[in-house]
């Protein structure tokens, strides 16, 4: 009985051989798995970012194209990675809607530009991924700018961060104003000068988020009753309601109208770079945006997206923005360059301002209020301004 018991415990020669063969197979499997992990780890070290980046952005191509081109150079220099880049252009509300519709399976990696309130909404819907920026980068951006309702420059939870500073203000044609005997405008109220009758161009708030924001600034500055009266008087001064915000500075630059209402600064600067005599003024209560950037949850190329945001906040990235009529968000950078440079042209265009941190920013814009009544403002504009515009002009 002992031999039988010994066979039961230790197994027969055939079973002992089977165990040996099984052990050898398992050992080979572990070695292959370890080798695979080593290769994967080595590849990760060799290529810390993905080789593709897709933006979803309302930012104009005059900024997004050079930013992406310079980022590709940066990726080659730093990581020896050739990154294919592309940008899906869409207005802010449309871009926001796409992210919601994608619902965690996005067709882009990074959402860049627009209103920070929409980024907060996306974070609340769990549609953004943590940025994970190096602390030295994130800490280099102040939390807020201006008073009494400070502009948020980054999300305290780390889901989005601002990349630049841009205002929506007044574009004007200096020579045409001179012929009219009107001084260059400095604030919104200057547009109601009777000598500017028929010389104002604007776009309705339903067609442009920047125009919508400027409407809200007037309403929140003056209160609804007085604010709507101002906007109706402005409509009476308006000679042309454009179809899109980009058209507003374009017709001013050509001298067809003297002033443009609610113009994103860098749109007007595009025309200045093209050789047109156009200038820009940011009213005291101008709407200011910080060009937020956020990685979309489920993005296929999150490391490349993070690297692009970090690049935008570097001196090299800030320089791209500054040379296109935008202001640095990093406080220790200011617009400056050699005499005759594009940077100095931008300073002249902005009336001598080199940094938003050099001036008092009077921010009255309430994001939550504006987003809560977005469509109501559009409907009221259509009913009380757009459909009766000719009557308002005859007042």
């Amino acid at each position: 009985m002992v031999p039988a018991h010994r066979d039961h415990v230790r197994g027969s020669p055939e079973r002992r051989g089977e165990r040996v063969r099984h052990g050898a197979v398992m050992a080979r499997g572990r070695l292959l798995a370890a080798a695979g992990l080593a290769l994967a780890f080595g590849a990760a070290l060799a290529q810390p970012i993905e080789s593709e980046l897709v933006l979803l952005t309302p930012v104009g191509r005059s900024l997004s194209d050079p930013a992406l081109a310079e980022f590709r150079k940066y990726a080659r220099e730093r990581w020896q990675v050739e990154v294919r880049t592309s940008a899906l252009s869409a207005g802010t509300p449309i871009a926001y809607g796409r992210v919601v519709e994608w619902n965690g399976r996005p067709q882009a990696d990074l959402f860049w530009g627009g209103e920070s309130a929409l980024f907060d909404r996306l974070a609340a819907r769990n549609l953004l991924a943590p940025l994970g920026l190096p602390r030295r980068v994130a800490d280099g951006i102040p939390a807020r700018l201006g008073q009494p309702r400070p502009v948020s420059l980054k999300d305290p939870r780390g889901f989005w961060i601002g990349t630049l500073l841009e205002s929506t203000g007044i574009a004007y044609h200096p020579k045409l104003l001179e012929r009219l005997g009107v001084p260059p405008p400095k604030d919104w109220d200057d547009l109601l000068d009777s000598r500017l009758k028929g010389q104002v161009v604007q776009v309705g708030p339903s067609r442009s988020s920047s125009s919508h924001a400027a409407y809200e600034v007037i309403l929140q500055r003056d209160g609804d009753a007085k604010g709507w009266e101002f906007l109706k008087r402005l409509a009476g001064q308006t000679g042309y309601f454009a179809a899109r915000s980009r058209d507003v500075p374009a017709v001013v630059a050509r001298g067809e109208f003297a002033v443009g209402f609610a113009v994103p600064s860098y749109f007007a600067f595009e025309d200045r770079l093209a050789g047109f005599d156009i200038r820009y003024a940011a009213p005291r209560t101008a709407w200011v945006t910080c060009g937020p950037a956020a990685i979309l949850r489920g993005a296929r190329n999150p490391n490349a997206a993070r690297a692009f945001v970090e690049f935008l906040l570097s001196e090299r990235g800030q320089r791209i923005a500054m040379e296109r009529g935008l202001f640095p968000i990093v406080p220790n950078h200011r617009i400056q360059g050699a005499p005759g440079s594009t940077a100095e042209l931008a300073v002249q265009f902005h009336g001598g301002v080199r940094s938003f941190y050099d001036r008092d920013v009077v921010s009255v814009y309430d994001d939550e209020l504006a987003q809560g009544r977005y469509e109501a403002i559009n409907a009221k504009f259509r009913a009380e301004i757009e459909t009766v515009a000719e009557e308002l002009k005859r007042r």
Side-chain angles (χ1 to χ4, degrees):
M1 296 295 292
V2 173
H5 177 69
R6 190 165 52 243
D7 286 344
H8 174 71
V9 174
R10 298 180 181 177
S12 65
E14 292 81 2
R15 294 190 64 180
R16 287 199 298 272
E18 183 180 345
R19 283 200 300 274
V20 170
R21 287 192 297 273
H22 178 70
V25 170
M26 292 295 291
R28 284 196 300 271
R30 285 193 294 270
L31 286 171
L32 289 172
L37 286 172
L39 287 171
F41 183 67
L45 288 176
Q47 185 169 312
I49 67 169
E50 300 86 1
S51 58
E52 186 173 10
L53 174 65
V54 181
L55 301 185
L56 173 65
T57 181
V59 170
R61 293 190 62 179
S62 65
L63 175 59
S64 63
D65 283 359
L68 287 172
E70 196 64 21
F71 174 68
R72 291 194 296 270
K73 294 179 185 176
Y74 172 74
R76 282 197 297 270
E77 294 166 7
R78 181 169 178 180
W79 297 294
Q80 294 76 54
V81 176
E82 294 288 339
V83 181
R84 300 184 305 277
T85 63
S86 58
L88 305 177
S89 298
T92 305
I94 294 174
Y96 170 84
R98 285 185 183 176
V99 177
V100 172
E101 183 180 315
W102 290 336
N103 194 28
R105 303 182 69 178
Q107 297 175 25
D109 304 302
L110 189 79
F111 184 14
W112 179 34
E115 299 175 44
S116 60
L118 297 182
F119 285 72
D120 287 333
R121 286 189 184 184
L122 292 174
R125 286 174 172 262
N126 192 31
L127 294 176
L128 302 182
L131 276 171
L133 291 172
R135 186 168 180 175
R136 59 175 175 77
V137 176
D139 287 353
I141 308 301
R144 291 173 295 278
L145 174 69
Q147 293 290 339
R149 293 189 177 277
V151 180
S152 294
L153 302 185
K154 60 185 178 183
D155 176 27
R157 300 161 298 174
F159 285 104
W160 63 264
I161 196 166
T163 60
L164 50 85
L165 292 172
E166 173 202 350
S167 63
T168 292
I170 302 168
Y172 61 95
H173 194 286
K175 291 181 180 177
L176 184 50
L177 284 180
E178 187 177 351
R179 288 200 296 270
L180 293 169
V182 180
K186 295 181 179 179
D187 212 339
W188 303 117
D189 299 315
D190 295 336
L191 301 185
L192 300 183
D193 188 316
S194 60
R195 292 169 291 183
L196 290 177
K197 183 79 172 179
Q199 288 292 333
V200 177
V201 58
Q202 62 170 306
V203 61
S206 62
R207 295 177 180 270
S208 163
S209 60
S210 56
S211 179
H212 193 285
Y215 263 65
E216 274 287 2
V217 163
I218 301 297
L219 294 171
Q220 294 180 26
R221 181 194 71 167
D222 296 346
D224 283 358
K226 187 178 177 182
W228 278 109
E229 183 56 33
F230 175 97
L231 294 171
K232 290 174 184 177
R233 290 178 63 193
L234 181 67
Q237 297 278 87
T238 300
Y240 176 52
F241 281 95
R244 59 191 185 121
S245 58
R246 184 63 188 90
D247 296 335
V248 177
V251 296
V252 173
R254 295 196 297 266
E256 297 174 27
F257 296 90
V259 292
F261 171 75
V263 177
S265 60
Y266 80 102
F267 277 172
F269 192 61
E270 287 179 7
D271 294 315
R272 185 71 186 90
L273 287 175
F276 291 100
D277 189 13
I278 185 172
R279 301 291 175 86
Y280 176 85
R284 291 181 68 250
T285 56
W287 179 66
V288 176
T289 180
C290 65
I295 300 171
L296 301 181
R297 180 171 65 84
R300 289 188 288 269
N301 305 295
N303 295 328
R306 183 178 301 105
F308 181 70
V309 176
E310 187 173 351
F311 166 76
L312 289 175
L313 295 175
S314 70
E315 182 176 359
R316 191 168 173 178
Q318 293 288 283
R319 179 64 55 189
I320 294 170
M322 289 187 281
E323 291 182 347
R324 281 153 185 84
L326 296 158
F327 287 96
I329 196 169
V330 181
N332 61 354
H333 294 319
R334 301 170 81 250
I335 304 177
Q336 55 189 13
S341 65
T342 303
E344 289 303 313
L345 182 65
V347 174
Q348 180 195 47
F349 171 78
H350 283 287
V353 181
R354 295 182 180 274
S355 170
F356 261 95
Y357 298 106
D358 292 345
R359 56 180 292 179
D360 291 330
V361 176
V362 181
S363 175
V364 299
Y365 185 80
D366 184 330
D367 272 334
E368 188 174 348
L369 173 61
Q371 295 303 320
R373 63 182 188 179
Y374 201 97
E375 291 305 324
I377 294 297
N378 291 345
K380 190 175 178 69
F381 172 83
R382 285 191 293 268
E384 299 187 12
I385 293 181
E386 192 170 29
T387 60
V388 294
E390 293 305 315
E391 179 184 334
L392 294 172
K393 293 176 185 179
R394 290 193 293 269
R395 285 187 180 180

